[in-house]
Amino acid sequence: MKTKVLHMNADRIDDHAFDEASDILRNGGLVAFPTETVYGLGGDGLNPQAAEKIYKAKGRPSDNPLIVHIADMDGLGVLTDFVPEKARLVAEEFWPGPLTMIFRKSSVVPYGTTGGLDTVAVRMPGHSIALGLIRSSGVYIAAPSANTSGRPSPTLARHVHEDLDGRVDMIIDGGPVGIGVESTILDMSEAAPVILRPGFITPEMLQPLLGEVLFDPAVMDGAVDSIPKAPGMKYKHYAPKADLIIFEGSAERVAGEINRRAQRAVSEGKRVGIIAARETEKEYCFGTVKGIGTRSDEITIAQHLYAVLREFDEEETDVIFTESFDSGQLGRAIMNRLLKAAGYQIIRL
Ligand code: TXA
Ligand code: MG
């Protein structure tokens, strides 16, 4: 299959911009597109064959359900069986935006899209290209992140191209994404709301509407025995090819320990990568140091996390040492992804 790349400026979208992409979606094909979190790999969420194509293109296990994207509240009604009043308040406040909610599914949503579950994940993305594509096509777009299963999610169209060229009909290149980590997943299908995946929307932001909101125990601890409620969370994720180790502690100790280990690894002939905040990147003397963003504005770290992991892959890095970034609220989402990428290798100093 030849993959067509279509460039689009999110601020200047003309009337017919989505004609071809809409045809592809309506005919059961695949279109990758930008959202405010990461790029998505879209297909018709109500067409089981399209879902099957998505799983195949990503190389993803088909028991891992897809998020269905909508552009208005009517869409939510079509896809779900029951929407609690509180969820409507949350939607009013945070949609369109980086939040996915889980509900009991209606009968129109095929099990092929939900990985066999009776629930469906729904999100109204806050990105003009994503919303425009849903509206123009009239399709409820099922879209996982547009990476090969197990690789870091794509935050640039180039990343999608690396992973999916020849496997999708079209990639819409709308430039870099704004947030860089996937949406918060909030399970509203049971009595107490639970966060299955941390993201830009935090429990503190949801609390005024929902009261206390807890994380699923699997969120921060890879060692827990409980089966994660979001099936995707059980798979190894976001992983670079290199061995990745996280260091946590005072800036001084972390730099000292990373420098010691980096020096040793370099002397053993290994290619070493270091991920540091802009504030501390000058502290490192060995290997390739990448400043990921500034601690004073966490979103800059989220935005560059996956791209940096991909760059180290391209440079055939053997081992990556990284600072931890657990301050503030978005820090939880960043650390959740970093821990998974590291296979939970963290050294506390
Ligand atoms: O920001 C995002 O959410 C991006 C963009 C493209 O919208 N999408 C995304 O999709 O991250 P994906 O497929 O990479 O991650 C979806 C996660 C998986 O961990 C999956 O297991 C979980 O959502 N999920 C989907 N449906 C579910 C359901 N019915 N119950 C529990 N978890 C569900
Ligand atoms: Mg994903």
Side-chain angles (χ1 to χ4, degrees):
M1 170 194 303
K2 179 128 183 59
T3 299
K4 175 163 185 173
V5 178
L6 184 67
H7 293 269
M8 213 177 269
N9 180 340
D11 302 323
R12 268 187 295 118
I13 300 175
D14 68 72
D15 287 351
H16 293 285
F18 296 109
D19 287 357
E20 195 178 347
S22 296
D23 279 342
I24 294 171
L25 289 173
R26 284 191 292 255
N27 290 315
L30 303 183
V31 177
F33 61 96
T35 81
E36 79 279 37
T37 57
V38 299
Y39 273 77
L41 164 55
D44 182 350
L46 302 188
N47 176 347
Q49 275 99 41
E52 217 169 282
K53 279 193 201 167
I54 291 175
Y55 287 114
K56 202 160 158 230
K58 266 184 79 87
R60 173 174 179 152
S62 59
D63 66 344
N64 189 359
L66 307 174
I67 296 173
V68 186
H69 297 70
I70 57 173
D72 54 46
M73 289 304 280
D74 291 347
L76 183 64
V78 173
L79 300 173
T80 58
D81 196 30
F82 172 67
V83 176
E85 197 41 47
K86 280 193 170 172
R88 288 191 192 282
L89 298 177
V90 172
E92 236 166 70
E93 180 85 18
F94 295 105
W95 276 357
L99 175 74
T100 297
M101 285 193 273
I102 313 262
F103 302 102
R104 288 209 321 251
K105 78 172 194 71
S106 73
S107 59
V108 302
V109 182
Y111 283 110
T113 296
T114 68
L117 298 176
D118 287 314
T119 51
V120 61
V122 186
R123 167 160 123 82
M124 194 188 292
H127 192 292
S128 57
I129 293 179
L131 290 171
L133 183 61
I134 301 165
R135 287 198 188 105
S136 304
S137 62
V139 166
Y140 302 116
I141 303 181
S145 49
N147 50 288
T148 305
S149 193
R151 292 209 74 202
S153 296
T155 50
L156 296 170
R158 180 163 59 76
H159 300 156
V160 183
H161 205 262
E162 275 166 26
D163 284 12
L164 298 177
D165 185 34
R167 294 170 166 264
V168 296
D169 299 283
M170 179 184 275
I171 298 170
I172 300 180
D173 181 349
V177 300
I179 295 178
V181 293
E182 304 85 344
S183 62
T184 303
I185 302 182
L186 177 65
D187 187 354
M188 295 300 295
S189 70
E190 302 209 28
V194 175
I195 293 182
L196 307 184
R197 180 173 72 182
F200 186 81
I201 306 295
T202 62
E204 290 78 6
M205 292 159 80
L206 294 164
Q207 182 155 19
L209 297 173
L210 297 177
E212 195 187 11
V213 183
L214 298 177
F215 284 107
D216 184 67
V219 163
M220 282 304 179
D221 185 357
V224 294
D225 296 331
S226 63
I227 299 170
K229 289 196 66 197
M233 302 306 270
K234 77 177 178 238
Y235 295 106
K236 188 167 181 201
H237 249 92
Y238 321 115
K241 291 170 196 145
D243 200 23
L244 172 65
I245 305 172
I246 307 168
F247 293 83
E248 193 180 83
S250 71
E252 215 179 282
R253 283 192 177 189
V254 167
E257 184 62 20
I258 290 182
N259 273 327
R260 251 190 306 282
R261 292 191 184 225
Q263 182 176 26
R264 197 184 322 139
V266 167
S267 74
E268 288 165 358
K270 290 188 180 141
R271 266 189 216 208
V272 174
I274 294 171
I275 303 176
R278 217 152 279 154
E279 288 81 356
T280 40
E281 65 179 311
K282 295 277 182 305
E283 305 297 320
Y284 299 94
C285 337
F286 306 94
T288 305
V289 184
K290 293 192 196 279
I292 186 177
T294 166
R295 289 186 190 275
S296 63
D297 186 8
E298 291 185 290
I299 200 162
T300 60
I301 295 173
Q303 276 166 352
H304 297 117
L305 175 65
Y306 291 139
V308 163
L309 294 177
R310 279 178 181 261
E311 281 172 26
F312 279 129
D313 269 358
E314 274 166 34
E315 294 158 19
E316 301 187 346
T317 309
D318 299 303
V319 54
I320 305 169
F321 301 122
T322 176
E323 295 179 352
S324 62
F325 304 98
D326 52 1
S327 53
Q329 301 194 1
L330 189 55
R332 266 184 310 232
I334 296 168
M335 286 309 288
N336 168 264
R337 308 314 194 270
L338 205 49
L339 278 161
K340 283 168 150 288
Y344 297 92
Q345 295 188 83
I346 180 162
I347 293 174
R348 300 192 164 91
L349 299 165

